[in-house]
Amino acid sequence: MTIIINKASDIKASEITPRSVYIHRRQFMRQAFASSLILATDAMLPVWAKRWPDLQQSTYKTDDTITSLKDITSYNNFYELGTGKKDPANNASIFNPKPWSIAVEGECNKSGIFNLEDFIKPFALQEYIYRLRCVEGWSMVIPWVGFSLANMLKKFEPNSNARYVEFTTLLDKSRLPGQARRVLNWPYVEGLRIDEAMNPLPIMAVGLYGDVLPNQNGAPIRLVVPWKYGFKSIKSIVKIRFTETQPKTTWNELAPDEYGFYSNVNPDVDHPRWSQRTERRIGEPFWKPKRQTEIFNGYAEQVAHLYTGMDLVKNF
Ligand SMILES: Nc1nc2c(c(=O)[nH]1)N[C@H]1C(S)=C(S)[C@@H](COP(=O)(O)O)O[C@H]1N2
Ligand SMILES: [Mo]
């Protein structure tokens, strides 16, 4: 018997299968194995039935229709794999997200370098269905697999100087060939204020649609901050650093008038070159009217209090 060790790019059956059907099929397969005389081992299950079949739903979900796996994995921004929307999918196989380690540094008691498996192990994975609103004016609804960023950060015991958290993407142009071109100042860096990071909404995502993260979506581990424009949700993270001062983030450094440090989704604050009032939901037919963008991407109840007293036009 061959044991298949699947790669992050190996998403198969679910690509063409509606979500409820594939979840059912996974359950059916597992039951079928369990009730047969064959002793089912994980390695015997087909690739698509292996990963996280019993995921708990987090309390954070939306009733919006989930975007198709095809759209989520073929319409991407991941400049390290090319600047066109289809480039990351086309170049995904060039990027090998194994082996992977994550360094935790800065203002905390428990810094260190961890391999991905050890890093993830303490946390219970759940499914979080979140809207993602790109600053460019489109949105998707993505069923992430991940765990609470806040719970993760607490493990490293940030000290009282830790006022921000900085995240950094892998820098390696042999694995991320887009870094050979100086379209951005590599490596990609993002950051959050510590109270934003400790809010229960942000997650570290390691999968989507019940399976491991496809390379083009930021394998093997990325951030998801649902009330901020998509560029804050940094992909393929290798470093997490607690800092006293505000991190220098990639898009903010490149064009500070266009991309603020906060970058909360806000229909009342236009981008200098376009309105942010509406958005196009990827996958919806072209004749459907655009959607009204909601303040904090619809998550105001959970996050508006983080910004009381702040001028959101100045602090965009
Ligand atoms: N390292 C890195 N992270 C990144 C980007 C990028 O180019 N490089 N693009 C960002 C932008 S603009 C968006 S909208 C989201 C897109 O995530 P998705 O392709 O998984 O939908 O990733 C964000 N994270
Ligand atoms: Mo974006």
Side-chain angles (χ1 to χ4, degrees):
M1 187 181 73
T2 329
I3 293 171
I4 299 159
I5 305 198
N6 62 346
K7 292 195 257 54
S9 51
D10 283 346
I11 289 197
K12 289 278 144 64
S14 47
E15 252 165 36
I16 44 154
T17 314
R19 208 182 115 66
S20 57
V21 177
Y22 89 74
I23 285 177
H24 258 99
R25 204 197 272 167
R26 284 180 188 211
Q27 278 161 0
F28 171 78
M29 287 302 296
R30 295 177 80 248
Q31 277 157 17
F33 275 110
S35 61
S36 72
L37 289 173
I38 308 160
L39 185 67
T41 70
D42 200 38
M44 292 168 69
L45 295 173
V47 167
W48 47 261
K50 272 176 61 168
R51 303 278 174 165
W52 312 311
D54 299 319
L55 268 188
Q56 283 237 337
Q57 285 286 315
S58 89
T59 47
Y60 301 110
K61 49 177 185 251
T62 158
D63 293 335
D64 291 19
T65 303
I66 296 171
T67 304
S68 73
L69 181 62
K70 187 165 193 304
D71 282 336
I72 292 172
T73 55
S74 61
Y75 189 90
N76 300 100
N77 277 335
F78 193 0
Y79 279 17
E80 289 87 337
L81 293 175
T83 53
K85 288 287 177 285
K86 290 187 178 305
D87 290 347
N90 289 336
N91 296 325
S93 62
I94 302 171
F95 172 36
N96 181 5
K98 278 176 191 167
W100 201 265
S101 61
I102 299 176
V104 180
E105 303 177 356
E107 302 288 348
C108 66
N109 301 331
K110 298 252 165 96
S111 57
I113 299 176
F114 309 88
N115 73 47
L116 183 73
E117 290 68 33
D118 294 339
F119 188 83
I120 292 172
K121 209 178 285 164
F123 308 105
L125 298 179
Q126 291 193 318
E127 182 168 73
Y128 294 77
I129 301 173
Y130 280 151
R131 286 181 289 273
L132 180 141
R133 166 61 157 86
C134 180
V135 72
E136 296 164 339
W138 50 267
S139 61
M140 295 190 189
V141 181
I142 303 181
W144 300 108
V145 179
F147 52 90
S148 157
L149 174 68
N151 288 347
M152 189 271 279
L153 294 178
K154 281 174 200 154
K155 287 258 180 211
F156 301 104
E157 300 180 8
N159 64 35
S160 57
N161 292 330
R163 296 180 56 222
Y164 296 89
V165 194
E166 179 190 86
F167 303 86
T168 306
T169 295
L170 174 72
L171 179 65
D172 180 350
K173 55 176 176 288
S174 71
R175 292 163 84 182
L176 294 170
Q179 290 174 340
R181 290 176 54 208
R182 293 172 58 189
V183 285
L184 290 177
N185 200 1
W186 312 115
Y188 196 103
V189 173
E190 260 309 333
L192 297 171
R193 220 171 52 194
I194 193 81
D195 59 335
E196 298 180 310
M198 291 299 179
N199 180 276
L201 283 188
I203 56 166
M204 296 296 286
V206 293
L208 57 81
Y209 261 94
D211 221 316
V212 292
L213 268 185
N215 291 348
Q216 59 267 42
N217 293 90
I221 185 162
R222 55 98 52 91
L223 181 68
V224 177
V225 190
W227 73 94
K228 292 177 180 280
Y229 291 121
F231 67 86
K232 300 291 291 184
S233 292
I234 180 173
K235 296 176 168 178
S236 306
I237 295 167
V238 292
K239 189 163 75 182
I240 298 168
R241 186 176 180 79
F242 296 97
T243 67
E244 196 165 2
T245 53
Q246 187 174 297
K248 292 184 192 307
T249 57
T250 300
W251 284 101
N252 180 241
E253 290 275 297
L254 182 81
D257 302 340
E258 303 194 11
Y259 311 104
F261 174 79
Y262 287 96
S263 284
N264 295 318
V265 174
N266 189 340
D268 303 327
V269 179
D270 289 342
H271 184 280
R273 292 184 279 137
W274 58 82
S275 162
Q276 294 289 30
R277 289 242 158 257
T278 60
E279 67 200 56
R280 187 169 66 90
R281 182 63 51 85
I282 300 298
E284 285 184 348
F286 67 89
W287 64 83
K288 261 203 138 183
K290 287 188 170 187
R291 288 163 179 263
Q292 298 294 309
T293 290
E294 290 179 72
I295 181 83
F296 300 117
N297 206 20
Y299 301 98
E301 202 183 309
Q302 289 86 6
V303 301
H305 69 272
L306 295 167
Y307 310 102
T308 39
M310 273 177 70
D311 181 342
L312 295 181
V313 177
K314 274 197 195 121
N315 299 288
F316 62 92

